[in-house]
C-alpha cells in the first residue's frame, strides 16, 4: 500500500514537473521574442518628499504586455529572465527607455531604475549606463540605480568597483528592499549608498505593530546619522504617512499617492497635489 502510494506520488510529481517545465520553456521562448515584438513597457511610480510633500522622482517598473496573456507582472517573469540571462538585454532596454523618458519630463526630478544582480556579471554595465545617459541627454545626477543586498553578496570586489565607478560618474545608488534578506548592517559600511529604501513589509504594519514601528524608526534614524536619504516603500494609508513624517523619513512611495502608471501620465502625476491636506 505504502509502495503504491509512493509510486503514485512519484508519477504525479513527474508529470507535474513535465507540465511545469513545458510551460516554463514556452514562457522563455515568448520572453526571447518579447523585446523584438516591443511587448515591454516602462511604468512610473511617483516618489514624494515627505517634508515638502512634492514629487521628487519616479521609479521605473517594467511591464510585459503579452500578446495572449495580457499584462504579466515582473514577479512572474524577472526570475526567469535572470535564470536565462535575458535580464541583461531587457534591463538595458528599461534603462535606456527610462533615461529617454526622464530627459523629456517638464521637471528635473529623478528616475530610479532597478538593476538585477545578473546585470553586474555583464562587464559592459558601466558603459551601458554611460551610453544611456549620453544618448538621452539625461544628467547623471538624475539617475538612481536600485540594487538589493544580493548584489553585494556575489563577487563583491568586482561589484563594488562597478558601483564606485558609477557613483564617481554622478549616478546615485540606492539600497532597495532594506530589512529583508540578510540585512547585515555591514552592507551600509561596504558602500556609501545615497538612499535606503525601507521594505514595504515594515511600512504595511507601521500603524498596527509596535515592532514594525520600532524598525522603521531605527532605519530612519540610521539614515539621518549616516546622511543617507530614507524612502518608505508601499505607503498605502494616511496613518502610515503621518507616522513616517513624524519619524523624519525623507521620502515616501506607494498606492496612497499613486500606483505605477504609463509614461504618458507622468506629467499629470507631477502636477497632482495630495488629496488630503496634512496638518
Ligand atoms: P521593487 O523594486 O521593490 O518595486 C516596488 C514594487 O512595489 C513594485 O511592484 C510596485 O508596484 C509595488 N508597490 C508600490 N507601492 C505599493 C503599495 O502601496 N502597495 C503594494 N502592495 N505594492 C506597491 P512591481 O512593479 O510589481 O515590481 C516588483 C519587483 O520587480 C520590483 O520590486 C523589482 O524588484 C522588480 N522589477 C520591476 N521592474 C524591474 C526592472 O526593470 N528590472 C529589474 N531587474 N527588476 C524589476
Ligand atoms: Mg525598486
Ligand atoms: Mg523595493
Ligand atoms: Mg520590493
Amino acid at each position: 500500500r505504502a509502495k503504491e502510494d509512493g509510486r503514485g506520488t512519484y508519477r504525479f510529481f513527474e508529470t507535474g514537473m513535465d507540465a511545469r517545465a513545458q510551460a516554463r520553456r514556452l514562457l522563455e521562448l515568448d520572453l526571447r521574442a518579447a523585446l523584438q515584438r516591443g511587448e515591454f513597457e516602462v511604468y512610473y511610480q511617483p516618489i514624494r518628499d515627505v517634508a515638502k510633500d512634492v514629487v521628487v522622482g519616479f521609479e521605473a517598473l517594467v511591464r510585459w504586455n503579452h500578446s495572449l496573456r495580457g499584462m504579466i507582472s515582473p514577479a512572474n517573469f524577472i526570475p526567469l529572465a535572470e535564470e536565462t540571462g535575458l535580464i541583461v538585454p531587457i534591463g538595458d532596454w528599461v534603462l535606456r527607455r527610462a533615461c529617454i523618458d526622464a530627459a523629456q519630463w517638464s521637471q528635473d526630478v529623478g528616475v530610479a531604475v532597478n538593476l538585477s544582480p545578473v546585470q553586474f556579471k555583464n562587464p559592459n554595465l558601466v558603459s551601458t549606463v554611460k551610453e544611456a545617459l549620453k544618448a538621452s541627454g539625461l544628467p547623471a545626477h538624475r539617475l538612481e540605480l536600485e540594487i538589493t543586498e544580493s548584489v553585494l553578496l556575489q563577487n563583491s570586489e568586482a561589484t563594488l568597483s562597478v558601483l564606485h565607478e558609477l557613483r564617481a560618474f554622478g549616478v546615485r545608488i540606492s539600497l532597495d528592499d532594506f530589512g529583508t534578506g540578510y540585512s547585515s548592517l555591514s552592507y551600509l559600511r561596504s558602500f556609501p549608498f545615497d538612499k535606503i529604501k525601507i521594505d514595504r513589509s515594515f511600512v504595511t504594519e507601521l500603524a498596527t505593530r509596535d515592532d514594525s514601528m520600532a524598525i522603521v524608526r531605527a532605519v530612519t534614524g540610521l539614515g539621518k546619522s549616516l546622511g543617507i536619504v530614507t524612502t518608505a516603500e508601499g505607503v498605502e494609508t494616511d496613518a502610515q504617512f503621518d507616522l513616517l513624517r513624524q519619524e523624519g523619513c525623507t521620502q515616501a512611495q506607494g498606492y496612497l499617492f499613486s500606483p505605477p502608471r504609463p509614461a504618458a501620465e507622468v506629467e499629470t502625476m507631477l502636477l497632482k497635489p495630495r488629496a488630503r491636506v496634512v496638518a
Side-chain angles (χ1 to χ4, degrees):
R1 239 226 89 114
K3 217 173 180 180
E4 241 174 65
D5 276 358
R7 213 172 46 211
T9 307
Y10 175 73
R11 266 203 227 103
F12 172 76
F13 185 61
E14 206 182 30
T15 316
M17 281 295 278
D18 275 355
R20 265 206 305 277
Q22 259 177 34
R24 190 183 172 282
R25 179 76 189 132
L26 280 178
L27 193 68
E28 183 187 334
L29 290 173
D30 278 351
L31 198 55
R32 284 188 192 280
L35 264 181
Q36 278 80 28
R37 292 188 186 140
E39 292 180 347
F40 291 112
E41 190 174 348
V42 179
Y43 273 34
Y44 294 94
Q45 185 178 33
I47 300 169
R48 296 185 80 94
D49 182 287
V50 173
K52 299 189 189 116
D53 204 25
V54 292
V55 174
V56 288
F58 290 89
E59 178 170 5
L61 294 154
V62 71
R63 294 291 179 266
W64 180 10
N65 200 351
H66 190 280
S67 50
L68 299 172
R69 302 185 197 200
M71 278 295 183
I72 304 182
S73 120
N76 293 321
F77 70 87
I78 296 280
L80 182 62
E82 289 178 328
E83 280 171 50
T84 54
L86 288 167
I87 192 65
V88 173
I90 296 170
D92 286 1
W93 179 84
V94 171
L95 180 69
R96 279 184 274 118
R97 184 73 251 163
C99 289
I100 291 168
D101 286 345
Q104 286 162 7
W105 295 340
S106 65
Q107 294 179 29
D108 290 342
V109 295
V111 65
V113 176
N114 293 282
L115 286 188
S116 158
V118 178
Q119 290 175 270
F120 281 80
K121 290 181 185 151
N122 178 0
N124 296 324
L125 181 58
V126 174
S127 55
T128 301
V129 172
K130 290 183 180 176
E131 283 297 320
L133 290 168
K134 199 175 155 199
S136 62
L138 187 77
H141 70 87
R142 286 183 55 197
L143 178 64
E144 284 171 30
L145 298 175
E146 297 192 359
I147 65 162
T148 54
E149 343 172 286
S150 57
V151 168
L152 296 171
L153 279 174
Q154 59 173 33
N155 193 6
S156 59
E157 280 307 306
T159 301
L160 283 175
S161 85
V162 167
L163 289 175
H164 279 291
E165 201 175 335
L166 289 168
R167 202 161 181 273
F169 194 66
V171 173
R172 285 173 292 159
I173 311 290
S174 306
L175 186 53
D176 203 355
D177 301 342
F178 188 75
T180 62
Y182 291 89
S183 289
S184 164
L185 292 178
S186 66
Y187 291 123
L188 295 175
R189 242 183 7 182
S190 67
F191 186 78
F193 287 97
D194 297 282
K195 183 189 278 193
I196 300 170
K197 297 192 78 171
I198 306 170
D199 193 69
R200 175 162 64 88
S201 53
F202 304 105
V203 177
T204 302
E205 298 171 337
L206 201 54
T208 51
R209 277 184 66 158
D210 290 346
D211 50 1
S212 291
M213 183 68 215
I215 289 166
V216 169
R217 178 173 292 155
V219 179
T220 50
L222 199 59
K224 275 183 229 162
S225 336
L226 293 171
I228 304 175
V229 169
T230 45
T231 304
E233 304 191 270
V235 182
E236 295 184 349
T237 68
D238 282 313
Q240 291 163 359
F241 183 71
D242 289 344
L243 288 170
L244 290 163
R245 200 157 44 91
Q246 265 172 43
E247 292 309 320
C249 184
T250 328
Q251 302 177 344
Q253 175 182 358
Y255 294 171
L256 175 64
F257 314 112
S258 172
R261 299 292 306 155
E265 293 176 37
V266 161
E267 293 303 326
T268 315
M269 291 190 275
L270 275 171
L271 293 175
K272 203 168 108 188
R274 281 205 59 216
R276 192 180 73 122
V277 179
V278 287

